Structures are given as structure tokens and as C-alpha cells.
Amino acid sequence: MRRVNIQEVAKEAGVSPSTVSRALNGFPGISEKTRERIVEIARKLNYRPNYRGQILTTQSTKNIGLLITDIANPFFPELVMGAEEYASKSGYTVLLGNTSESEEKETNYLDFFSRGPVDGIIISASRVSNEHIIMLAEEGLPIVVINRILEHPKISYVSTDMEKGGYLATMHLLRLGHSKIAFINGPKHSEVSQRRLEGYKKALKEAGIDYNSDLISFNVPVSESGYKEAIKLLCTGEAPTAIFTYNDVMAFGVIKAAKELGIKIPEELSVVGFDDIFFSSFTDPPLTTIKQFKEELGRMAVELLFKLMEGERESLLIEPELIIRNTTSRR
Amino acid sequence: MRRVNIQEVAKEAGVSPSTVSRALNGFPGISEKTRERIVEIARKLNYRPNYRGQILTTQSTKNIGLLITDIANPFFPELVMGAEEYASKSGYTVLLGNTSESEEKETNYLDFFSRGPVDGIIISASRVSNEHIIMLAEEGLPIVVINRILEHPKISYVSTDMEKGGYLATMHLLRLGHSKIAFINGPKHSEVSQRRLEGYKKALKEAGIDYNSDLISFNVPVSESGYKEAIKLLCTGEAPTAIFTYNDVMAFGVIKAAKELGIKIPEELSVVGFDDIFFSSFTDPPLTTIKQFKEELGRMAVELLFKLMEGERESLLIEPELIIRNTTSRR
DNA sequence: TATAATAGTGCAATCGCTTTTTAAAGAAAG
DNA sequence: CTTTCTTTAAAAAGCGATTGCACTATTATA
């Protein structure tokens, strides 16, 4: 039993393919009687229009491509859910590309997406350059970027206010009396890392504390990095009393390291994460963190993408929120 | 700057489109000199073949569709990573469909996938019926199912041995002296739930303990369900001394409930999860669980799919493993 | 009744590429 | 100097849908 195409339906119904097409797509210029008959036959033959042929003619795929960096980090799945839910309401399907922190994969997916399988792209990945994105946008592909601020007439963005996030976390620790605050940051090249660092510096400055680059490190944003950096920091003579991490999973690594070293959280070490993923309330102790509105981010990205498809450009910044749990305490 | 198509390249090079195609795809029947010239021009114009046109003729998309139930449950991302890594080695892209436990979405994605955007499908979702899957397979679409045992000449499967898993978990608790073991199971219709329940029963039977259906419940497999069921179970007069959950995130819910009720784990209540997701070693206390080899599952699914595309059918069962951490103790 | 308007269809072009077929040019052989 | 063979590239035929245009029956209008 092979797939049946429009010709076969047409033959069976004794009409032309165009008539079948009109009948099935609810177009006018066809008698109700014929329509019903064709619809019935199509149903009986289990005909569904071939996607490959269809998109070639209609020039619309009803797909959007969503590029994410690391599906294993729950930040992204939550974002994906927000995007998907909103997209599916308008009959769009989300094609997910996971790049596993690899620039090559990022480029590959982008290249693939730009060749036609989707009507627009949402990028929530940091490796690919702004220039590359701009190039694609100028070819006419609607693009929305998440968590990078990219001002360009053909690109929209939605981002958490990262500077604010870095500021909030640092300020919280400063208020608790900490002055030696390490920042286990994300990838150096990443705009997000840079913006959060700005927030960190700003808070320090306001508190009149000198910035010490020894307390800053740049890392691949996975749990393992948090663990390793924490070990390094905590084994020096001048160990910090508080650690702020680029994301929650890295904070998990820090917690693990502290436990292994017999350092009590929050009594001897305060930890603040970033993202507020689902599991952060289940750790021991529950993690203090900066909440990003992940579903919102995904949802807004799709909304902005739809607008962009209609030629309307709009971008926005979403305020993060400090969630105080039990990994931070007064110095 | 619009996308350039093969005609424009042909015009620029002063040859026909077919010649351009031959040049770029490395086909014979064209002089090396012409090929080089065309390749150069194509590069300069930044030409990349339009995907929509290409797949219509070649009948190959180099995509595989992967249907998953719940991207927010880390079980799936790990599986996805395994699949993606293996697929990309052969130049295939994975299109992910997340169905959020909705049968409608599952059907929609399947319908979409079956219309042509992919060369084959991997299904790791439980709502859609075997009959539906078989129908698609008989239309000629290669399909591999994960964690369901579906014997059909055109379908391959790879599954964790669920019965073994249920048995392992229950036996572990029995050996620790528990006799009243609740099982907060997954969806009733799901084959996985049924198979695990078989394992549970088998262990009970071997221990000479009567099966009590009051201790069994069927649920949507999310954290919330674990929480609610645990509250229900623990507030009855005859509370169980051990709880086995359908998956780890549900076990997280149980842990949360026990904490709120002031019940100590593992002293007063033992908990065993299923899956061994990344976060299970970070909970308080770290979770005893049954490990599924998730990346392996994803990787094998792709491998079997590739084989199926070449007409070779093969299926297999993967043994799960008991991971003992700190949520279980002697009664 | 003749003519115009309209409804219902089919034909053919199109989307952008690949692939088969055909033709032209050049080289080798007689 | 033909004839035959080989090389190279153009032309044409799909792939499976959609869609503008043209044609043929109807029906309505004068």
C-alpha cells in the first residue's frame, strides 16, 4: 500500500487534479456536490497532500525553526514549551535544532533552516555570529533572537535583562555582607556573559568594592564546569565567601563541590544561580537564583516572529527576578 | 539581496541549470575546468540549493523525525542527544516533535512527519496507537519505536526491559524488609506502565506477598502527580513504608510531599524512582532509582532506523540497572 | 430566441531542483 | 575527407502540489 497522490484521487473521482485541490482546500468555484464527492473519495483513499510538493508551490511551510544550545539544560526545554504552545495555536510546527554547544552544529542547522524548510527562525544560541544572522535576515528570512541584543531593521529580539540579573544577584550577596564574591561565568565570547558581568561590576562599584578579575572565570556552561571551578576557588587560601554562577546547573556543580570539601552551604558559602529551572527547588539546600521567565521568552519569540513575518518589527527586554531560597545567608 | 537559485548561477556562468547541478553535486559528464568555474561562481553568489526543490526531486530529505512525549522531563533530552549525535554523523538532521502528553499533538506531528519532511520516524511517545503506527509503516515510512514492543515486519523497536526494571525496584525494596510497597505508576493505557507493573507483581509473588491494588495508581507522569499521590498515600491510616514511582520526576514530588509532612526519608519512607536522570543525584537525599540507558536508547533507535531504510529489520531490549543512593533503607 | 453573465471545470504554467535524453562538437579511425 | 566514437553540455521531463486563465455548459436578462 503506497502513498496516494492527488492524481490518483483525481482519477478515482473522474476530475482533474486542480479540482481535487480546490475541493480539499475549500476554495470557491466548485459545486458543493462535487466537493463532497471528492472529499469523500480522498478520505477513503487516505489521501494527504504531499508536503514536499505542497511547500514548493505555496511557499509556506507552516514550520518555524528553533535553535537551542543545550537541550540537557532544563532552561531550554522550558523555553521550547513556551514557544511550541504558542506556535501550535496558529497551526505552526516547531522544528528544534539542538547544537550541544558546538559552533559547527549551530552553523549547520542555520544553513539547513535557511534553505527552506521553515518560514522563520528563532535563535537561542550564542556561538553563531551576529554577522551570520544578519546575512540570513537580509536574504529575507524572518529571524528572532533570544537573549542577545541585536539591533537590525530585519531582526527582532527578546531578552532577559541580563545586566539587571547580574546586578540583582550580586547586590543580594553584598547586602548579606559578602564582599569576596566569585563569579563563575559562562562562555567568554557570549554576549550574555558579558552583560551579566556588567551587572556584577555595577553592583560592586555601587558598594565601593574593587573589581578583582581573579574571582571571575569563563566556562562552558555545564554542571561539570561549576564543580571544577568551585574546587579551584575553594582550595585557595583566599577563598570567596559567595559564588554566583552563570546558570543553575553550574550552581549544582558548586553545591556538589562544597559538599565534597565539607563546606557548609549557606553557613560557610553562599551560592546564587541563574535561570531558576524546575530542579532548583529540589536541591539540598534549595537554590537561591535569578529567575528568567523561560516560557515567556519562548512565547514572545514566536509572537515577535509572527509579527516580523508581517513586516512589523518589535523587540523587548524582560526583567528577571531574584528568588531567595536557602543557599544564601548573612556573612 | 534575495536568495539566488540555480538559474541565476547558470546565467552568471553562461551554462544551463543542469550543468550547474552536475558541477555542484560532483557528477560526471562535465569537464574539470567548467566545474571549477561554476563552483567558484556559486560560492561567490552564496548559492545553496533550495531545500524545497531539492527534496521534491531527490525524494530524500536527510531528516529524521523524533517524537517525544515531554521535553521537560530530562529523560527525553538525554535520549534526544544520543539520537542526534549518531544521526548527525551520517549527515542527518533530527526534527524534534514534542507532544506534551497530548494525543492530538502526537497525531498531528505524526501526520506531519508522514507527509514527507523526513525519511523516517522514531517514536518515543505512548499515546498514539499501534494501529496508527502500523498504518504509516505500511505506507512505506520507516519507523522505529522506543520503549514499546511492537512486532511488525516493517517496524523495529528498541526498549528498556521494563518488566525487569519493575522487578529490580520492587525486589530491592522487598530485600530491605518492606512489604507494603506502593507503586505510583504512569498512564494506565501505556504499555510501559503495564510492563513495569508486571515486574512489580512478579517480585511480590516471588516474595509471597499478596498483590493489593489499593497501593497502585495510574497518573500523568509529571512531578505534580507524584506529589499528590504521595500525600494521599501517606495520610491514610495504613500508609506504605516504601514508594516506587514511574519516573524520577514523580519521585521528586514524593520527596517534596514527605518533607512537607515531616516524614523522614529514608528512615520512615523509602523511595525508588525510574530513569536515573541527571538531577537524581542532586536531590536531598540523592535518589535510588532504576537506570535507563537513555543516550543508548536514542542512538540505537537511529541505528535501527538506518538499517530499516535499507530493508533490514532488527529490534532489541536493553537491560536497566538498579542505582542505589540514599532514599532507600532497611525497614 | 439571442446574448450576456456566471458557475464549474480542465489545462498548463509554476515552484527549484535532479536526471534522463538528445544533440553538438571534437577526436580518432579508416 | 568521411565516418564513427567519445566527450561535453543543453534541452526536456519529471517530482506533487497550487493557481491563473481559458473554455464549456448553464442560467439569467433583454
Side-chain angles (χ1 to χ4, degrees):
Chain A
M1 188 170 91
R2 265 231 335 92
R3 276 306 289 266
V4 24
N5 62 19
I6 202 169
Q7 273 87 346
E8 298 172 54
V9 178
K11 208 165 115 191
E12 183 74 19
V15 297
S16 75
S18 48
T19 304
V20 175
S21 172
R22 277 192 285 257
L24 265 30
N25 291 316
F27 288 139
I30 181 172
S31 72
E32 217 30 64
K33 221 182 73 193
T34 321
R35 162 163 295 142
E36 274 167 27
R37 196 164 57 82
I38 292 174
V39 167
E40 178 54 28
I41 287 171
R43 210 193 47 70
K44 208 172 59 198
L45 294 180
N46 193 24
Y47 167 75
R48 281 153 301 160
N50 179 298
Y51 182 75
R52 304 175 190 184
Q54 202 171 38
I55 63 173
L56 188 59
T57 36
T58 60
Q59 303 289 31
S60 158
T61 62
K62 284 280 187 178
N63 290 158
I64 65 186
L66 173 51
L67 206 61
I68 61 174
T69 307
D70 181 12
I71 194 176
N73 178 351
F75 169 83
F76 291 100
E78 290 188 43
L79 184 151
V80 171
M81 285 176 70
E84 197 173 52
E85 200 164 310
Y86 190 83
S88 69
K89 270 187 200 148
S90 304
Y92 276 76
T93 301
V94 173
L95 302 190
L96 203 58
N98 175 50
T99 66
S100 307
E101 299 283 350
S102 137
E103 176 168 5
E104 191 199 343
K105 274 194 171 180
E106 225 166 88
T107 312
N108 282 351
Y109 266 116
L110 228 42
D111 187 65
F112 167 66
F113 282 152
S114 75
R115 292 203 298 124
V118 298
D119 297 342
I121 304 182
I122 296 171
I123 301 176
S124 182
S126 61
R127 292 287 206 283
V128 72
S129 70
N130 281 357
E131 289 68 40
H132 191 153
I133 296 176
I134 290 169
M135 189 196 84
L136 293 177
E138 289 184 340
E139 279 182 353
L141 194 63
I143 298 182
V144 172
V145 292
I146 292 180
N147 282 351
R148 67 164 93 187
I149 299 189
L150 181 40
E151 299 287 359
H152 184 276
K154 306 213 158 188
I155 298 169
S156 296
Y157 65 83
V158 52
S159 172
T160 296
D161 187 338
M162 297 300 178
E163 197 178 317
K164 179 81 177 282
Y167 179 83
L168 245 35
T170 315
M171 206 34 124
H172 172 61
L173 291 167
L174 287 167
R175 289 216 178 99
L176 289 172
H178 296 273
S179 55
K180 195 151 188 189
I181 303 169
F183 182 14
I184 303 183
N185 205 349
K188 184 154 200 177
H189 63 83
S190 135
E191 186 189 310
V192 173
S193 300
Q194 294 303 331
R195 293 192 118 87
R196 290 196 192 154
L197 186 57
E198 285 311 308
Y200 168 91
K201 284 180 180 170
K202 187 177 161 207
L204 243 48
K205 198 172 179 184
E206 281 185 25
I209 294 174
D210 279 346
Y211 170 73
N212 175 1
S213 67
D214 291 349
L215 290 170
I216 312 297
S217 64
F218 294 97
N219 310 273
V220 180
V222 297
S223 184
E224 192 64 15
S225 308
Y227 175 79
K228 281 187 186 154
E229 275 306 313
I231 295 278
K232 236 188 267 177
L233 283 165
L234 297 171
C235 290
T236 56
E238 306 256 299
T241 63
I243 297 180
F244 169 39
T245 63
Y246 179 77
N247 64 23
D248 285 356
V249 293
M250 289 167 87
F252 297 171
V254 173
I255 292 174
K256 188 178 166 198
K259 269 189 188 156
E260 285 185 16
L261 294 172
I263 295 172
K264 284 219 162 61
I265 295 175
E267 294 81 359
E268 302 170 66
L269 178 71
S270 284
V271 180
V272 178
F274 208 111
D275 289 351
D276 189 33
I277 60 178
F278 178 74
F279 299 95
S280 299
S281 59
F282 287 100
T283 51
D284 173 34
L287 184 69
T288 295
T289 188
I290 304 295
K291 176 173 189 163
Q292 285 201 68
F293 294 86
K294 299 160 283 292
E295 297 212 12
E296 176 90 359
L297 234 31
R299 196 167 54 70
M300 286 310 302
V302 176
E303 197 172 325
L304 296 180
L305 186 65
F306 286 164
K307 280 194 180 157
L308 205 56
M309 286 173 180
E310 302 186 331
E312 218 180 309
R313 185 174 163 261
E314 187 189 322
S315 294
L316 59 100
L317 231 46
I318 298 176
E319 294 286 288
E321 205 172 84
L322 172 67
I323 306 287
I324 301 177
R325 296 206 184 88
N326 309 333
T327 53
T328 48
S329 76
R330 187 151 283 283
R331 174 81 236 272
Chain B
M1 187 170 95
R2 262 226 340 87
R3 276 306 289 264
V4 20
N5 62 19
I6 203 168
Q7 274 89 343
E8 298 172 53
V9 178
K11 209 164 112 191
E12 182 74 19
V15 297
S16 74
S18 49
T19 305
V20 175
S21 173
R22 314 265 276 286
L24 264 32
N25 292 315
F27 288 139
I30 180 174
S31 70
E32 213 34 61
K33 221 182 74 194
T34 322
R35 160 164 296 142
E36 274 167 26
R37 196 165 55 83
I38 293 174
V39 167
E40 178 54 28
I41 287 171
R43 210 192 47 70
K44 209 171 58 199
L45 294 180
N46 193 25
Y47 167 75
R48 281 154 301 161
N50 178 298
Y51 182 75
R52 303 175 190 185
Q54 202 171 39
I55 64 173
L56 188 59
T57 33
T58 59
Q59 303 290 32
S60 158
T61 62
K62 283 279 186 178
N63 289 158
I64 66 186
L66 173 51
L67 206 61
I68 61 174
T69 307
D70 181 12
I71 195 176
N73 177 350
F75 169 82
F76 290 99
E78 291 188 43
L79 184 150
V80 171
M81 285 176 70
E84 197 174 53
E85 201 163 309
Y86 191 82
S88 68
K89 270 187 200 150
S90 304
Y92 275 76
T93 301
V94 173
L95 302 190
L96 204 57
N98 175 50
T99 66
S100 307
E101 299 283 351
S102 137
E103 176 168 4
E104 192 198 344
K105 274 194 170 180
E106 224 166 89
T107 312
N108 283 351
Y109 267 116
L110 228 42
D111 187 64
F112 167 66
F113 281 152
S114 75
R115 293 202 298 122
V118 299
D119 297 343
I121 304 181
I122 296 171
I123 301 176
S124 182
S126 60
R127 291 287 206 283
V128 72
S129 70
N130 281 357
E131 289 67 39
H132 191 151
I133 296 176
I134 289 170
M135 189 196 83
L136 293 177
E138 288 184 341
E139 278 182 352
L141 194 65
I143 299 181
V144 172
V145 292
I146 291 181
N147 283 350
R148 67 165 92 186
I149 299 190
L150 181 41
E151 298 287 359
H152 184 277
K154 305 212 158 192
I155 298 169
S156 297
Y157 66 82
V158 51
S159 172
T160 296
D161 187 338
M162 297 300 178
E163 198 178 315
K164 179 81 177 282
Y167 179 83
L168 244 34
T170 314
M171 206 34 123
H172 172 60
L173 291 168
L174 288 167
R175 288 215 180 100
L176 288 173
H178 296 272
S179 55
K180 197 153 187 189
I181 303 169
F183 181 14
I184 303 183
N185 204 349
K188 184 155 200 175
H189 63 82
S190 135
E191 185 188 311
V192 173
S193 300
Q194 293 304 332
R195 292 193 117 88
R196 290 197 192 155
L197 186 57
E198 287 309 309
Y200 169 91
K201 284 181 179 169
K202 188 177 161 208
L204 243 49
K205 198 172 178 184
E206 282 185 24
I209 294 175
D210 280 346
Y211 170 73
N212 175 2
S213 66
D214 291 348
L215 290 171
I216 312 296
S217 64
F218 295 96
N219 309 272
V220 180
V222 296
S223 184
E224 193 64 15
S225 308
Y227 175 81
K228 281 187 185 154
E229 276 305 313
I231 295 278
K232 235 188 268 175
L233 284 165
L234 297 172
C235 290
T236 56
E238 305 256 301
T241 61
I243 296 180
F244 169 38
T245 63
Y246 180 76
N247 64 24
D248 285 355
V249 291
M250 289 168 86
F252 297 171
V254 173
I255 292 174
K256 188 178 167 197
K259 268 189 190 157
E260 285 185 18
L261 295 171
I263 295 172
K264 285 219 162 59
I265 295 175
E267 294 81 0
E268 301 171 67
L269 178 70
S270 284
V271 180
V272 179
F274 208 110
D275 288 351
D276 189 32
I277 61 178
F278 178 74
F279 299 95
S280 298
S281 58
F282 286 100
T283 52
D284 172 34
L287 184 70
T288 294
T289 188
I290 304 295
K291 176 172 189 165
Q292 285 200 67
F293 293 86
K294 299 160 283 294
E295 298 212 9
E296 176 90 359
L297 234 31
R299 195 167 53 71
M300 285 311 302
V302 176
E303 198 172 324
L304 295 180
L305 186 66
F306 286 165
K307 280 194 180 159
L308 205 56
M309 286 172 180
E310 302 185 331
E312 217 180 309
R313 184 174 163 262
E314 188 188 322
S315 295
L316 58 101
L317 231 47
I318 298 176
E319 294 285 290
E321 205 172 83
L322 172 67
I323 306 287
I324 301 175
R325 295 206 183 89
N326 308 335
T327 53
T328 48
S329 76
R330 187 150 285 281
R331 174 81 239 273

